[in-house]
Amino acid sequence: MSNDMMRTVRWHNGEKVAGPFSDFEMDRRQQLLRDHMAEHDIDASLLTSLHNIGYFSGFVFCYFGRRYGFVVDQENATSITAAIDGGQPYRMTHGDNITYTDWRKDNFWFAVQGLTAGVRRLGVEFDHMTLETKALLEAALPDVELVDIGVATMWMRTIKSDEEIEHITLAASIADIGGQACYDATAAGVPEHEVALASTQAMVRAIADSFDFAELMDTWTWFQSGINTDGAHNPVTNKLIESGDILSLNCFPMIFGYYVALERTLFCESASDEHLRLWNINCDVHRAGLELIKPGARCMDIAAELNAVYREHDLLQYRSFGYGHSFGVLSHYYGREAGVELREDIETELVPGMVVSMEPMIMLPDGLPGAGGYREHDILVVTEDGAENITGFPFGPEHNIIPASS
């Protein structure tokens, strides 16, 4: 092969860029992984998920049908990225970077082979590895034993450092800005998408103003009205808001791979008596849930206590998902710290450093009095003696019935 058709190159274009976290913080994360590897006789790890590559390297990739990796051993940490991304992965990676070209379709695996020479046991994420990926990896490294590190890295990510908590707290304040922009843009006759655009623009500008350097991608807003409020993840549409509509505000700033959320029930101009009754009950569940988040509380016990409140009002059958989850490096299309979800089947005990949401939701189907989806959402940092609520936007009927435009 000629020199101009190389399989891998090192495009160290420009200087390293300072992300939101210090070198000390990034070293801390990589040392957690190395300690786990040493304890379990793992020679190196190949991370492939967006959330783990983002957490351990600082680089958040754009998938677009290409493979990405981050190889960590006891001495080195190297991201493997596609040539289409140029030198940006190098600039953002806490460690080295190698670029693979498109000249041959197996060039990613060629790069993996070069970075794992002599490895006997390789850590990989079983929860992210497809059957195809596993087969290709085994073909590239036929004498290497694959060992799962997906669960272990998930637990590493659940405990946030002081720097992470500061970052998440800033993001929550930016979500509040998006919430206010939603509120201000809402009126009868306005399409959902126009409200969402106003919120997203406000949050993107706030992120840009908060950092000397920021990659501005993936911040978004879902704003739903009427029947569209029945699902927590329903996309924004061009439906016009009507007077009396139940509304769902969902603001999601994304900052260097870290996602936070602000979610609120609102009404346009007025709410019926039954809507108000149901809304107030859901707010009561939300307040009770906020009080239950503390060190030592088990996720399943929180869910059980809140179920009892809904059951008293004969509303438990209208609850549609769990009461909250962990926050950090995750998003609607990647990542999940599944061990910290406030559900009946999760036995995890909350400990200081965890960051979790409280987000009760009920949905009354169309045709029933008070129909629609009701959801409130705050983010809390578990502390040594309780929890700090880092969401500032108010909730409930006294705040979020939007008056008619004058």
Side-chain angles (χ1 to χ4, degrees):
M1 181 177 293
S2 65
N3 289 337
D4 62 348
M5 298 285 281
M6 291 186 294
R7 303 184 70 175
T8 62
V9 294
R10 274 186 160 80
W11 280 349
H12 293 182
N13 191 35
E15 302 298 324
K16 293 285 189 180
V17 174
F21 303 112
S22 68
D23 288 347
F24 175 85
E25 166 66 10
M26 299 307 297
D27 287 340
R28 180 194 69 83
R29 299 179 188 189
Q30 292 179 9
Q31 191 59 49
L32 284 175
L33 180 55
R34 289 182 171 118
D35 289 346
H36 175 81
M37 290 159 52
E39 182 179 352
H40 294 274
D41 194 28
I42 298 170
D43 302 305
S45 291
L46 170 64
L47 303 173
T48 52
S49 68
L50 199 152
H51 45 281
N52 265 339
I53 292 175
Y55 181 79
F56 288 100
S57 80
F59 165 59
V60 179
F61 65 78
C62 176
Y63 171 59
F64 236 105
R66 290 175 168 83
R67 296 185 185 277
Y68 291 82
F70 190 53
V71 175
V72 179
D73 59 29
Q74 291 298 335
E75 301 296 332
N76 302 296
T78 307
S79 57
I80 307 171
T81 60
I84 195 171
D85 296 318
Q88 185 261 355
Y90 164 74
R91 295 192 293 272
M92 295 304 300
T93 295
H94 185 74
D96 199 1
N97 168 260
I98 188 168
T99 296
Y100 69 93
T101 67
D102 286 347
W103 311 136
R104 284 173 55 174
K105 69 177 184 179
D106 61 347
N107 283 351
F108 174 82
W109 300 112
F110 178 78
V112 170
Q113 288 172 328
L115 293 171
T116 59
V119 167
R120 298 171 297 104
R121 284 166 53 86
L122 180 70
V124 295
E125 300 168 74
F126 283 4
D127 59 351
H128 186 258
M129 181 166 287
T130 64
L131 291 174
E132 178 194 38
T133 299
K134 184 173 184 287
L136 291 170
L137 178 56
E138 288 175 337
L141 304 176
D143 298 320
V144 173
E145 179 185 358
L146 304 183
V147 182
D148 181 44
I149 57 167
V151 174
T153 53
M154 182 270 291
W155 288 117
M156 293 175 201
R157 299 194 316 273
T158 61
I159 309 299
K160 314 311 180 199
S161 68
D162 290 344
E163 287 191 30
E164 284 184 283
I165 291 171
E166 181 179 355
H167 184 77
I168 294 169
T169 301
L170 170 64
S173 72
I174 290 173
D176 290 340
I177 292 171
Q180 189 60 52
C182 271
Y183 186 102
D184 294 341
T186 299
V190 175
E192 291 177 0
H193 71 273
E194 290 295 339
V195 177
L197 284 171
S199 168
T200 300
Q201 288 176 346
M203 290 190 291
V204 168
R205 288 171 177 145
I207 295 168
D209 290 341
S210 298
F211 295 90
D212 293 334
F213 171 83
E215 293 184 332
L216 300 167
M217 62 178 183
D218 298 331
T219 291
W220 85 105
T221 301
W222 284 325
F223 186 84
Q224 302 131 349
S225 62
I227 196 170
N228 292 340
T229 64
D230 66 347
H233 299 156
N234 292 353
V236 64
T237 76
N238 59 352
K239 175 187 174 298
L240 300 183
I241 299 168
E242 300 178 35
S243 179
D245 263 352
I246 186 172
L247 310 171
S248 187
L249 170 162
N250 307 269
C251 300
F252 308 114
M254 283 282 294
I255 310 176
F256 292 99
Y258 278 71
Y259 151 96
V260 302
L262 168 69
E263 300 171 4
R264 289 289 185 258
T265 300
L266 308 92
F267 278 81
C268 180
E269 299 184 356
S270 64
S272 71
D273 288 346
E274 183 62 8
H275 278 113
L276 286 171
R277 186 183 77 86
L278 294 166
W279 191 7
N280 277 313
I281 291 170
N282 205 55
C283 288
D284 288 343
V285 173
H286 186 55
R287 293 186 188 94
L290 294 174
E291 294 299 319
L292 291 172
I293 295 177
K294 63 186 69 172
R298 292 195 305 171
C299 295
M300 61 192 304
D301 295 335
I302 293 172
E305 288 200 44
L306 297 181
N307 282 347
V309 181
Y310 279 137
R311 191 177 289 111
E312 289 174 7
H313 297 280
D314 195 26
L315 292 174
L316 186 57
Q317 66 269 34
Y318 299 120
R319 203 198 101 198
S320 55
F321 59 91
Y323 288 101
H325 57 83
S326 180
F327 273 79
V329 181
L330 69 145
S331 179
H332 60 314
Y333 56 85
Y334 67 84
R336 194 68 163 174
E337 294 167 8
V340 187
E341 295 199 22
L342 306 184
R343 296 190 333 211
E344 294 82 351
D345 57 343
I346 302 294
E347 300 180 2
T348 303
E349 184 177 294
L350 299 182
V351 299
M354 288 181 172
V355 179
V356 296
S357 60
M358 173 49 56
E359 49 179 310
M361 179 176 178
I362 51 173
M363 188 279 288
L364 278 290
D366 192 42
L368 291 182
Y374 302 78
R375 184 170 71 262
E376 312 298 339
H377 181 298
D378 288 21
I379 298 176
L380 296 96
V381 177
V382 181
T383 63
E384 293 293 336
D385 55 2
E388 178 188 359
N389 190 334
I390 59 174
T391 296
F393 196 87
F395 65 91
E398 60 271 33
H399 300 291
N400 288 332
I401 298 177
I402 298 174
S405 300
S406 56

